[in-house]
Amino acid sequence: MVPAVPSGAAGRVQDVDITGTAQHEAWLARAIPPVEQLRGDLWSIPVPMGGPLRYVSVYAFALDGGGLGLIDTGWGSDESWTALQAGLDSIGGSVADVRGVLVTHLHYDHLGLAERLRQASGTWVAMHPADAAVVGSAEHRDPAAFVAAEIDFLVSLGADRDEAAADVGPAENMGHFSRMAVPDRLLTHGEHADFPGWRLRAVHTPGHTPGHLCFHEERTGLLFSGDHVLPRISPNISSTHSGTPDPLRDYLDSLAAMGTEEPAEVLPAHEWRFRGLRSRTAELTAHHEHRLGELLGAIRENPGSTPWQLAAHLTWSRPWDQYERRMRIFAVTETDAHLRLLASRGLVVSDGGTVPTWTPAAR
Ligand SMILES: [Zn+2]
C-alpha cells in the first residue's frame, strides 16, 4: 500500500511524459482504466482495490511455449480475483494459464492473490529473499504475534499503548495478511526471471520494502517499476519492526542507482505509464530532501520530542488531527524513517531511551 502523499511540491521537474494516456484519463474521470495491449505479447490489467490508489496494474506476458507470466497479482479479495479473471479472459487467457508470478514486493495489493493463483494453476511465485523472509517469518504467519510486535513498535516511537492498540486494530483483522503466499522461488539482483521469450532482469530496489524488485526487460527497454517509482505520488518509506535500520537511505540509494538509466518506458504498479525516469527520480529525491529539512526544522523548534510528537508538526496531505488511524501509523513510521536518516547523517541525536526523544546534534 502507498498512502497518497503528493510529491510534486518540491523541485518539480518538467520532463516526465505521460505515455499511459488512457490510464491518466481514467484517473481524471475517477474510473478504472481499460485492459491495454502494450506489445504483441504484453498486456496491462488493472485490478481494482479500495483506497486512494484505486487499482494495481498487473502485467501479463505471453510466454514462448505457451502460458502466461505475471508481474504482481492484485489485492487479495473476491472482487479483485473476479477482475483479474475477467482481465485474463479478455486477452484470451485464464488463471489456469499462469505459469509464473513475479512479485515486486510483499504488500497485499501485489502479493494478495498469489496463493489463489498458485492453487488455480500450479504457478510458481518468485520474490526477493528479503521480502520472502518477512512474509515467511513466524511473526508474520501469526496474526497475534504480528499485532503485538506492531503495537510494541509504535509504543517505542512514542505512542500511548491503548492508542497504538486501537490504531493497529485486532488480530482478527490480520488473518488474511498472515496467509499470503510464501514464494517458492527467490530472485536476487541481476538474475533473470524464468519467462521464456523475455529477458526480465531483477533490479533490487530496497526502501518501500526491504526486498522490493523492479524488472528491466532487456529486449524492449521497458522498466517495470513496482511501487519504487510512481509518476504522481511518493511511495511510503517507513521504518517497521521487521525492516532494515535505515530504509530511507536504502530508498535514496536505490533511486540514485536507478536514476542513471533512461528506459524506453516506465510501467509502474499504480497510476500510469510514463517516460522520464531520470527526472522522476530527481523529483522523488528532492521531495525527501525537502521533508528531511522540514523535519530538522521541527526538531529544532521542539527538541526532546518523540517521533509520534514530531509527526504532528509536519505537513501532511490533510490536517493531522483528521488523519485516520491506519494513515497515522504510516505517517509516524515515515517520520521515524526520516529521523533515522537525519541521525545517520549526524544531524540529530536521540537520548537512547526506551522511547527515544530527538534533539539537533551539537555542531
Ligand atoms: Zn502498491
Side-chain angles (χ1 to χ4, degrees):
M1 271 242 326
V2 191
V5 182
S7 62
R12 185 94 206 155
V13 184
Q14 294 300 331
D15 326 327
V16 175
D17 294 326
I18 296 170
T19 50
T21 48
Q23 294 172 315
H24 188 246
E25 278 163 26
W27 181 267
L28 296 176
R30 307 194 141 268
I32 298 294
V35 173
E36 290 184 75
Q37 184 164 16
L38 308 177
R39 295 286 187 281
D41 40 12
L42 170 65
W43 296 264
S44 77
I45 299 173
V47 176
M49 57 188 262
L53 289 173
R54 304 181 201 167
Y55 63 91
V56 58
S57 291
V58 171
Y59 295 101
F61 299 74
L63 304 180
D64 276 3
L68 294 169
L70 303 184
I71 293 182
D72 287 332
T73 67
W75 188 264
S77 68
D78 290 340
E79 295 92 316
S80 293
W81 179 247
T82 305
L84 179 61
Q85 283 180 309
L88 292 171
D89 196 50
S90 76
I91 66 169
S94 81
V95 290
D97 296 330
V98 178
R99 302 278 174 270
V101 175
L102 302 171
V103 183
T104 57
H105 63 292
L106 62 86
H107 289 163
Y108 199 59
D109 47 336
H110 303 263
L111 179 59
L113 288 174
E115 189 56 49
R116 217 153 158 175
L117 276 166
R118 188 151 62 186
Q119 280 164 22
S121 66
T123 178
W124 52 261
V125 176
M127 289 172 80
H128 187 274
D131 272 18
V134 175
V135 172
S137 68
E139 186 184 280
H140 208 276
R141 306 314 285 178
D142 174 358
F146 183 85
V147 162
E150 181 127 300
I151 292 169
D152 285 348
F153 185 63
L154 291 175
V155 169
S156 80
L157 300 180
D160 169 79
R161 185 165 288 277
D162 289 342
E163 234 177 309
D167 283 6
V168 173
E172 297 88 86
N173 294 356
M174 294 285 167
H176 52 295
F177 288 103
S178 64
R179 289 190 294 274
M180 284 197 293
V182 175
D184 37 43
R185 292 193 185 188
L186 299 177
L187 267 181
T188 57
H189 183 76
E191 286 189 301
H192 286 86
D194 180 18
F195 275 17
W198 299 89
R199 292 280 299 165
L200 273 169
R201 177 167 46 83
V203 185
H204 185 209
T205 46
H208 184 54
T209 66
H212 190 287
L213 287 176
C214 295
F215 292 95
H216 181 79
E217 211 292 310
E218 295 172 341
R219 264 186 8 177
T220 52
L222 301 178
L223 179 77
F224 298 86
S225 65
D227 284 1
H228 181 58
V229 181
L230 299 169
R232 186 183 67 98
I233 62 164
S234 166
N236 173 270
I237 309 297
S238 282
S239 61
T240 62
H241 48 89
S242 55
T244 52
D246 197 346
L248 184 56
R249 181 150 72 170
D250 296 342
Y251 181 66
L252 294 177
D253 287 350
S254 307
L255 279 183
M258 175 151 279
T260 58
E261 297 174 40
E262 199 57 83
E265 191 177 14
V266 182
L267 294 79
H270 303 284
E271 303 182 332
W272 42 86
R273 300 185 304 282
F274 65 97
R275 220 175 270 134
L277 178 68
R278 246 183 266 172
S279 299
R280 186 59 188 143
T281 55
E283 219 168 57
L284 288 164
T285 303
H287 162 74
H288 284 290
E289 292 300 338
H290 176 80
R291 281 305 258 183
L292 287 161
E294 193 189 359
L295 178 58
L296 188 56
I299 298 167
R300 286 187 179 133
E301 279 171 32
N302 308 275
S305 297
T306 65
W308 189 267
Q309 291 165 330
L310 288 166
H313 293 298
L314 299 178
T315 320
W316 299 99
S317 53
R318 67 193 66 170
W320 177 247
D321 50 14
Q322 291 169 26
Y323 246 49
E324 54 172 284
R325 295 184 175 283
R326 196 73 217 169
M327 291 300 288
R328 215 156 59 156
I329 297 177
F330 281 122
V332 170
T333 52
E334 187 169 285
T335 301
D336 186 52
H338 285 75
L339 275 169
R340 290 173 185 222
L341 182 54
L342 287 178
S344 71
R345 288 180 178 177
L347 295 169
V348 299
V349 286
S350 88
D351 66 352
T354 337
V355 178
T357 63
W358 295 87
T359 314
R363 310 208 38 102

